[in-house]
Every structure is written in structure tokens, then in C-alpha cells.
Amino acid sequence: MGVLKFRLPSNELEARSAGFRKTYIAGLDRTPGRIGLDIRNGLMSCSRDNSESARLFVPWPIAGHGAPVVGTATLPERSTPYVLSLELARGKLNDVRNQMADWTQMGLRTTPELSDVLTSARRAFVRAAMHADDPAVCLEASQESLEASSKAADVLTESYMAQVLQNRMASTGKLATQLGFVLNGDPEKTPGSAQWPSAMNAAQISVSWRDLAPSEGKYRWELIDAQLAWCRRHRLNVEVGPLIEFRNGALPDWIWLWDGDADAVGGFATDLVRQAVARYRGKVPSWQVVHRPAGREILGLGEEDQIRIAARAVQVARQADPNAQLGFGVDRPWAEWMSGSRFQLGPLHLCDYLIRSDVGVSNITLEIAPGFSDPGCPMRDLFEFSRLLDLYALLNVPLQVLIVAPSSADDDPAADPNVQVEPWQWPQPPAEDVQADWAARWVSLAVAKPFVRSVKWLQATDAAPHVYPNGGLHRADSSPKPIFSRFQALRRDLIA
């Protein structure tokens, strides 16, 4: 048993920040472990199963940046509590300087603005470290350092993104990356869908297990047929899935009769996959077979049960169509949820395991939904998103990105009632212009990465039933939000 202790800046901040309860600790393998969290009298104690050096991550309020997750440097255990604000400032500054060194070595050209901001961050950190025994001065200087480091991270990442896009387009012209969105419903019956092809060269046909098999053993293919016909008519690259999604709202009602029976659930899942892939063999080039496996307890299935079902489903799909591209997806890819879970593998190691198992995995999909409650994830900045993509690129298979952000924190009757927008995480209250600006930066960064094969917005419209509140490109009345014109511009300027 090991314990890392941190002195919080004040009881006022302790009470104000809901983020402390989202704290997690990751070791050298970057996988969070289960922790016990105790906050009292201005002291936060994190107990865990081992006493190795580790990094602590916590949502932290930074002026102009909301409350993004920030990490300390790697810390050993000690009897004296660390000053949390100081260690977060140290960790953020280290991350930015190390990344800048890596990118500079690869040929990145930095700007005087970046050097000036980093100098400000270093000076503020030194002042915080020299006044570690004065809580007020240390907090003020640490916050100043964090603000400057976060600005430096944005400048650095945007410089990287602009130069990578410039270099790639100079050598190959417009990019072959797939850009589009997930179809939630029949486009022919959705007002405004005639505009969609101007913003996309690809689409993901999404029909849940619940919709495909409303009754046990009986399948309905009408919605896939309709979406596939619409995509063909507009000459879009197509992917279908996920066929099996480990989410309550995506499962048929009758499957709950088999709660806890892994063999029965696995049999039904693989039969659906076999029937679907065989039916569309030669017509659908790419499938997302499984999504969200081994991320939460569901249907009475443990971690090993879900992994076994996922692996078998991909294997069956490969047998049904040896030429198709087959993938599976994970949500919450930073794995912060593992700090309170009994599951031990985590999304990164799950992807590695399934790729190495040689069942036929062709690509990995990452679902990115910051600022939402589960199955969304806590907010990060653009810099951390870049680092996440680089981490998963080590798996050496193409990545696909599903991404979404809210345009409002208002109630959304067509969304999953269990999913909420968490406005406190955002730099400013979620709004349509905020969504558009955020999406333009994050989608552009994903497109810039050469190992990212496709980037798709997770919800085409708020009019059809969907998971994330107010996350669509179109409003509930089917009129386009500002984000749609950003997608049109990206499609026109970057994508072949």
C-alpha cells in the first residue's frame, strides 16, 4: 500500500472544484490504477496498491482554459505532503518543454511568442517554488505559471499543426483523410441532409443492436439499406457500425433476459455480426465491429467476458468477409475511469492485446467527448489531445477519431438522459460559436496526423435520437449550426 499526499491551496478552492473527485494516478506505463481518495482539512491523500513513483492528474481551474486535466511530474512517495498547485505547474511546464524539444528535433520552427510565453512560465514557477511555504504567494505564482504554460501549449500545438498540414499538402496536395460524420437516422427523411455532402467525403452508418434486432433472432436491415443507398448516391466512403456496443441504450431489451450469461450473450452477439457482415459482403468495405468493450460492467459481464466477446466478434467478421477492414472502438481513451474501476487492462492495453491476438483488427477508433459525463471524458487542451493521438499511434495501426462537443448546456430531450454537459469544465459556457471554434481546432489537428485515417463528428443532427446533449452539427429543427460551415471549409481546403 502506497500513499501520495498533497496540500491543497485552500478550503475555498477545495469546496469549489468538483474536479478533485476525478483525480487519478498513472505509473510509467501510463495506465491509471485504482485509488482511494481522501480529502480533509486541506490535505488530499491518494492511496494505492503500490508505492512506485507516479504522476497525479486532476481537473484544475486555469484562467482562460476552463478546468482541464493537468498532471504533475513523476513523484516518489514521501512523508511531507507535496504542494499540489506547485507540482501541477511543474508537470505542465515539463510536458510542454519536452514536447517542444521533440518537435524541434523533428524540424518544427518555433516562434518568438512561444519563447516569451515559456520564459514567463519558468519565472512564475521559480517564484512559486521559492515561496512554497507561503500558500497565498505559491498559489498565485503557480496559477500564473500554469496559465502561461497552457498558452505555450496552445501556441506550440497550433504551430505544429499548421506546419505539418503545410508540409503534407506541399508534397501530396489535398489529403486522403476521410472527413465526415455519423448518420443517426435515415438521411432521406432528415430535413437539411441535402447539404451534408458538401461537408464530408465519408460517413459512418450507425444502427444499434437494439434497432437491428428488436426481437430475439429476427433482424431488420432497412435502416442500413437506406443509409447505404444514400451514401452510394453521394459517392461517400462508408463504414458501418458499431454492430455491438457495450452501452445500455444500444442493447435490445430482450438481451437483458440473459444478464450474467456470457456464453449466451456472446452467441447472440457473434450471430448478429456474422449475419450483418455476410449480408453486405462486397458492399461494405469497412466495419466497426465492437465499441466500448471492457470499460464498464454491463449485462453482468466482467472485463474478461467482454474482451472474449469482442475478440470473437472480430474473428467471426473476418471469417464472413476476409477482405473487409475491421475495427473496434474505445471511449474515454485517457482511461481516467480506471481509478474507480475493478477493471485492470485499460483501453490502450486492450487495443494492444486485441491487435496482437491476430483476430483480424485493421484499425482502432477513439471516441473523444470532452466536457460530458460518462461516457464522455474530462476536458483536456489541444496539446494533450495531440499527445493522446501520438500515444495510440504506437499501436502501429491506422486510427479513426469520433469526436463531439456541446453547443449548449440546455436540456436536450432527444439525448441519452443519463449523459450531461458539465459546463464547469469549459473555458466559457457551451455555445454554438464555442463549439464551432473548438471543433475547427481539434478536427484540424486530427486530420494533420498522418496515421489518422478518418475523423468523424459523432452526431449529424440533434433532431434524431443521440447520446450526447446538443452535440449535433444541425439543431433540433434541422437548421445548420456554425460548426457545419467549419466542416464545409475543412472539406474544401484540406480534403481531396
Side-chain angles (χ1 to χ4, degrees), residues 24 68-69 334-336 370 377-382 384-385 438 442:
Y24 66 96
V69 173
W334 280 278
E336 64 283 333
C377 59
M379 177 62 66
R380 267 85 174 181
D381 59 17
L382 190 68
E384 291 299 333
F385 179 45
W438 182 92
W442 282 56

Side-chain angles (χ1 to χ4, degrees), residues 41-313:
N41 300 323
L43 188 70
M44 181 168 68
S45 300
C46 305
S47 58
R48 54 207 176 103
D49 293 336
N50 61 71
S51 56
E52 297 176 355
S53 298
R55 299 187 66 183
L56 176 133
F57 294 84
V58 61
W60 190 263
I62 301 173
H65 297 270
V69 173
V70 184
T72 67
T74 302
L75 302 174
E77 287 189 11
R78 69 181 192 186
S79 57
T80 306
Y82 291 98
V83 179
L84 182 55
S85 60
L86 175 62
E87 297 307 325
L88 293 175
R90 188 197 312 273
K92 186 66 175 180
L93 182 57
N94 278 347
D95 285 343
V96 176
R97 293 180 66 190
N98 290 339
Q99 187 65 73
M100 184 178 71
D102 289 344
W103 281 344
T104 302
Q105 191 174 28
M106 295 168 58
L108 180 75
R109 301 179 301 278
T110 58
T111 63
E113 179 190 7
L114 177 59
S115 299
D116 292 344
V117 176
L118 275 176
T119 297
S120 299
R122 282 197 302 270
R123 288 175 177 170
F125 172 73
V126 169
R127 188 166 74 253
M130 293 179 65
H131 293 84
D133 294 331
D134 185 332
V137 175
C138 182
L139 175 60
E140 180 183 2
S142 296
Q143 290 296 115
E144 183 180 338
S145 178
L146 277 167
E147 186 176 347
S149 293
S150 297
K151 182 178 179 181
D154 284 345
V155 172
L156 176 65
T157 309
E158 289 177 359
S159 295
Y160 162 84
M161 176 173 62
Q163 292 177 40
V164 169
L165 284 172
Q166 182 182 34
N167 292 341
R168 290 187 65 194
M169 294 183 72
S171 91
T172 65
K174 291 187 177 181
L175 307 179
T177 307
Q178 296 181 13
L179 177 70
F181 31 92
V182 177
L183 305 179
N184 46 337
D186 183 352
E188 290 292 352
K189 299 179 181 178
T190 304
S193 64
Q195 306 174 56
W196 293 358
S198 65
M200 62 199 302
N201 69 343
Q204 181 162 329
I205 293 174
S206 178
V207 183
S208 69
W209 189 357
R210 171 190 289 270
D211 293 327
L212 286 176
S215 302
E216 182 179 334
K218 297 180 179 180
Y219 300 114
R220 302 188 61 174
W221 310 107
E222 295 89 345
L223 187 52
I224 291 183
D225 291 341
Q227 292 181 349
L228 186 59
W230 185 86
C231 291
R232 283 179 172 172
R233 188 159 53 254
H234 293 285
R235 300 180 180 179
L236 300 175
N237 296 296
V238 173
E239 180 176 53
V240 177
L243 294 173
I244 308 299
E245 182 179 359
F246 288 93
R247 179 177 63 85
N248 287 347
L251 298 173
D253 292 336
W254 55 265
I255 198 67
W256 294 95
L257 297 173
W258 304 93
D259 186 21
D261 190 335
D263 291 337
V265 172
F268 290 124
T270 53
D271 185 65
L272 169 63
V273 170
R274 183 183 296 107
Q275 296 279 351
V277 177
R279 175 183 171 86
Y280 295 100
R281 179 172 178 169
K283 300 177 182 178
V284 173
S286 182
W287 294 87
Q288 186 185 356
V289 182
V290 186
H291 194 44
R292 312 183 202 274
R296 55 184 60 77
E297 293 185 4
I298 189 169
L299 276 175
L301 304 176
E303 183 178 32
E304 291 185 6
D305 295 329
Q306 294 183 37
I307 294 172
R308 192 179 304 112
I309 291 171
R312 180 58 181 155

